[in-house]
Amino acid sequence: MAGTEMDPEVARGLFEEGATLVLLGVPEGTELGLDYKTWTLGPRFRGVKMIPPGLHFLHYCSVSTSGACGEISPKTGLFLSLKPREVLVAHWNQTEDDLEISQSTEEVERVRANLRELDGYLGPYPYDTLRKWVSLTDRLSQEVASALQPLSGRVCAFSDVIPELQLTHTKDRAEQNLPRHDQECQSMKEGLERLPRMKHREGTALRFSHIPEQAYPPGATPAQITQYSMDWTYSLNCMLERHYKEQPLDVLGELQFAFVCFLVGNVYEAFEHWKSLLALLCRCEEALRERRDLYLGLIAVLYHQLGEIPPDFFVDIVSQNNFLTSTLQDFFQFASGPGVDSTLRKRAEKFKVHLTKKFRWDFDADPDECAPVVVELPEGLALD
């Protein structure tokens, strides 16, 4: 780990008040990172020192020593909330290829007493990336991160899944009225249907907020269903009431959590949730008039997030149904409407100009202006 240049006063402050991660037994060649920086570990590595107090994301990919090419495993990460001068000790479990946080107070105090001897084996926190990390997590509290991460505490790039039904033998499949494996499939559909249904291993699933599938309240008329399908405020209010009743602005923390899990943790499921949550927030005309602080915060969060994704990544997004441009187009249209706070309207307009200049996106084009809004009516409800 190379040293990081920083102001002497800052260095002194972090040396005195910063936290320390002591990571023992991590194999040489492991890719390990803290927040926005990643290193390939050498033989002398024992941890990271001078860590600013607050929320951090420790992530790592173990390297298999059994294979000839040193195969790298999928990334694993965990959120840590570190206090001033805290010492956190973890050991590498060779059987599980994972870090285990020490729960022994005696061991922690023993390591703390020997920090001076360990100092030469500890790399300094990458202070040059701190501003960027804070900009991506300033709305994310430890409480929100703990509520969203898997019960195991590990955020994994690849889901740990198991079959819903353990069909080990042919008779097991027969009992479920499923065809035998040695019977030839007659179609692609049949082949897909034969694949086992999978579920997350207990404790490994990310616990994102549930976004309502039904965008309108029970008993809504066809006209109301059409209105609710164009303005998603009802769905947003339902989600905030269920998950963030006391602190509605914490939904921005969830947006940041999902983004970090995708960008740093390589979790594709988190990217899908980020898209769904962003679409929900951006398509709420009434909420834009009623929740000024939420949407001022959303603009700030998106400003920093969109600055971190490589430019060529947007090409993929744009080619896939223009998700980002169409979603933000709705947002800018609603933000310029009547009844929106003047500060929010001006901020949205500046953000729109910024994105147009940076990515050359055209938010004023409206090829689908005359396209009808297709809504699905509840079963049994018919138009007069």
Side-chain angles (χ1 to χ4, degrees), residues 194-207:
R194 287 196 191 184
L195 293 175
R197 294 184 180 275
M198 309 300 285
K199 64 179 181 179
H200 281 96
R201 190 180 299 277
E202 189 173 352
T204 65
L206 288 164
R207 295 176 291 162

Side-chain angles (χ1 to χ4, degrees), residues 45-318:
F45 175 81
R46 298 293 184 275
V48 184
K49 62 184 177 181
M50 302 166 66
I51 304 171
L55 188 68
H56 297 279
F57 187 59
L58 175 67
H59 46 96
Y60 43 90
C61 303
S62 63
V63 178
S64 171
T65 54
S66 57
C69 300
E71 190 174 314
I72 297 177
S73 67
K75 184 175 287 189
T76 299
L78 55 154
F79 285 89
L80 303 172
S81 182
L82 300 176
K83 302 179 180 66
R85 302 185 184 183
E86 181 175 359
V87 175
L88 190 148
V89 180
H91 295 267
W92 188 260
N93 183 319
Q94 292 186 334
T95 304
E96 299 292 334
D97 264 353
D98 201 358
L99 280 169
E100 291 184 352
I101 307 296
S102 174
Q103 304 298 322
S104 168
T105 305
E106 292 83 357
E107 181 181 27
V108 170
E109 291 308 312
R110 188 168 62 250
V111 169
R112 184 191 297 277
N114 290 319
L115 280 180
R116 187 177 297 276
E117 287 74 18
L118 272 175
D119 189 73
Y121 300 90
L122 303 175
Y125 179 84
Y127 186 75
D128 56 323
T129 66
L130 178 60
R131 185 184 298 273
K132 188 174 290 187
W133 173 250
V134 170
S135 74
L136 292 176
T137 57
D138 61 336
R139 297 279 184 167
L140 179 58
S141 66
Q142 172 61 25
E143 291 75 21
V144 171
S146 296
L148 296 174
Q149 69 184 4
L151 290 172
S152 67
R154 300 294 191 271
V155 176
C156 301
F158 284 90
S159 298
D160 186 1
V161 294
I162 57 176
E164 288 185 358
L165 297 172
Q166 297 294 335
L167 305 175
T168 309
H169 306 290
T170 302
K171 66 179 181 63
D172 298 328
R173 297 186 61 82
E175 288 171 1
Q176 297 293 327
N177 294 319
L178 295 172
R180 294 160 53 102
H181 278 307
D182 56 1
Q183 293 176 345
E184 186 176 346
C185 294
Q186 300 302 312
S187 66
M188 173 68 78
K189 180 183 178 184
E190 183 184 341
L192 292 174
E193 287 175 349
R194 287 196 191 184
L195 293 175
R197 294 184 180 275
M198 309 300 285
K199 64 179 181 179
H200 281 96
R201 190 180 299 277
E202 189 173 352
T204 65
L206 288 164
R207 295 176 291 162
F208 289 125
S209 296
H210 174 71
I211 297 177
E213 295 179 6
Q214 183 170 298
Y216 48 84
T221 66
Q224 289 171 330
I225 292 172
T226 299
Q227 177 60 34
Y228 285 121
S229 299
M230 293 188 292
D231 178 357
W232 296 3
T233 299
Y234 171 78
S235 293
L236 176 63
N237 287 341
C238 287
M239 193 200 77
L240 295 179
E241 177 72 17
R242 178 176 176 181
H243 297 284
Y244 298 112
K245 186 174 183 177
E246 301 300 324
Q247 297 289 342
L249 296 187
D250 278 349
V251 71
L252 298 176
E254 180 164 348
L255 196 69
Q256 290 187 328
F257 177 92
F259 190 79
V260 166
C261 286
F262 165 64
L263 186 69
V264 183
N266 300 342
V267 183
Y268 183 73
E269 175 193 351
F271 176 56
E272 289 297 313
H273 184 73
W274 179 81
K275 288 199 301 181
S276 298
L277 189 54
L278 181 59
L280 175 63
L281 287 164
C282 286
R283 294 190 164 119
C284 296
E285 185 174 11
E286 185 180 342
L288 265 159
R289 295 193 293 266
E290 297 176 343
R291 298 183 183 274
R292 169 185 180 272
D293 290 346
L294 174 62
Y295 283 95
L296 284 173
L298 176 63
I299 291 172
V301 167
L302 281 179
Y303 175 84
H304 293 294
Q305 288 183 343
L306 299 187
E308 294 308 314
I309 300 180
D312 58 349
F313 188 77
F314 291 117
V315 175
D316 296 331
I317 295 177
V318 171

